[in-house]
Structure formats: structure tokens, C-alpha cells
Amino acid sequence: MNAIPRSALILGLAGLLPFIWGAVTVLVPDLAFWGQMNLGGRFIGPYVQLFYGAIILSFMSGVLWGFATKATGQMATASYMLSVIPALWAFFMTGGGPTTAAVNLIVGFLGLLLLDWHFWRLGLAPQWWMHLRGLLTAIVIITYLPLVF
């Protein structure tokens, strides 16, 4: 029962496209120029990665909130409180320039992975959840490395 459902895997991988596109446009100036001319500056390089990363951390707060609805009593209260952390992290920690924001988003995604694991250990997330989240988190972090180094 650890197999990731096909639709969840496909949509999860598709959700990586803005991260990958942003990293590629950081590494390939000609592609960044093409993107600037055809898509606009908001959709290339660090701009797309940082903006989209903040959106995804906020989205994942909603996913964790959904897991929290399965809990009861004090576990529910703690789970609801933990579920808002990724969105708050994205809101407060994505300023200060692209390098600082990228480092903070890497930390945010690693923190999210810990929260994913916590909810999974409590039995609030599906059995396959950590297989998907580990894969997606690793790729997201790799895409931020060109902004950091």
C-alpha cells in the first residue's frame, strides 16, 4: 500500500515544472532572455521560483489542515496549529533578496517535510505520502541551489 497513486504522482511532478523552469532560466541566459521577451520577467529565474515556492508552501498548509481534520481532541488542536506554519513561513521569510529568500524557502520545504512526516506518523496522511513528499521535496531543493550558489 505504499505505491503512490498515479494521478497524485503525475500532478505532483507537474507541479515541479515552475521550479525546474526557473532553475533552467537561471542557468541558461539565452533561455532567460527568451522567457523575458515572451513571458515577462515574472515568469523566469528567481522570480518564478520564489513566488511559486511561497504559493506551494501555502498550498501545503492547506493539505496539512486537511490531515488535521482527521485528528481529535488535543491532537487536533496541535495539528491545526502546526498546519499553518508553512504558510506563515512563506509569508514572513521570502523577503530580503533572492538568495536569502531561496535559502529560507529551502528551510521551509525541509520543515514542511518534517511536518509531513509528523502527520504521516500520526496516521493522518496516507501510507504512500512520504514517498511522494520525499521525491518532490528533493527536486524542489535542487532547483533552488542555483540561486544559493
Side-chain angles (χ1 to χ4, degrees):
M1 289 304 301
N2 288 332
I4 302 167
R6 184 177 174 92
S7 59
L9 179 61
I10 290 169
L11 291 170
L13 292 173
L16 296 172
L17 292 175
F19 291 110
I20 294 167
W21 169 255
V24 171
T25 58
V26 167
L27 297 170
V28 182
D30 288 342
L31 191 57
F33 179 75
W34 179 90
Q36 171 77 30
M37 294 293 103
N38 293 286
L39 303 172
R42 185 170 153 216
F43 296 101
I44 61 166
Y47 306 104
V48 70
Q49 287 179 279
L50 300 176
F51 186 66
Y52 188 68
I55 289 170
I56 293 300
L57 280 179
S58 297
F59 171 80
M60 291 307 297
S61 273
V63 172
L64 296 179
W65 183 277
F67 292 157
T69 65
K70 295 180 176 183
T72 58
Q74 289 181 341
M75 184 192 305
T77 301
S79 296
Y80 286 123
M81 290 171 64
L82 290 172
S83 73
V84 300
I85 292 172
L88 292 173
W89 183 267
F91 180 75
F92 287 110
M93 302 303 290
T94 55
T99 302
T100 301
V103 169
N104 288 337
L105 284 170
I106 288 170
V107 171
F109 279 102
L110 290 172
L112 171 61
L113 189 61
L114 289 174
L115 290 172
D116 284 323
W117 179 82
H118 174 73
F119 281 78
W120 176 77
R121 290 276 297 166
L122 293 174
L124 302 174
Q127 289 182 333
W128 51 266
W129 187 249
M130 290 310 296
H131 293 287
L132 177 64
R133 294 299 305 134
L135 171 66
L136 298 178
T137 300
I139 295 169
V140 166
I141 289 170
I142 289 167
T143 67
Y144 278 119
L145 296 180
L147 297 179
V148 176
F149 297 108

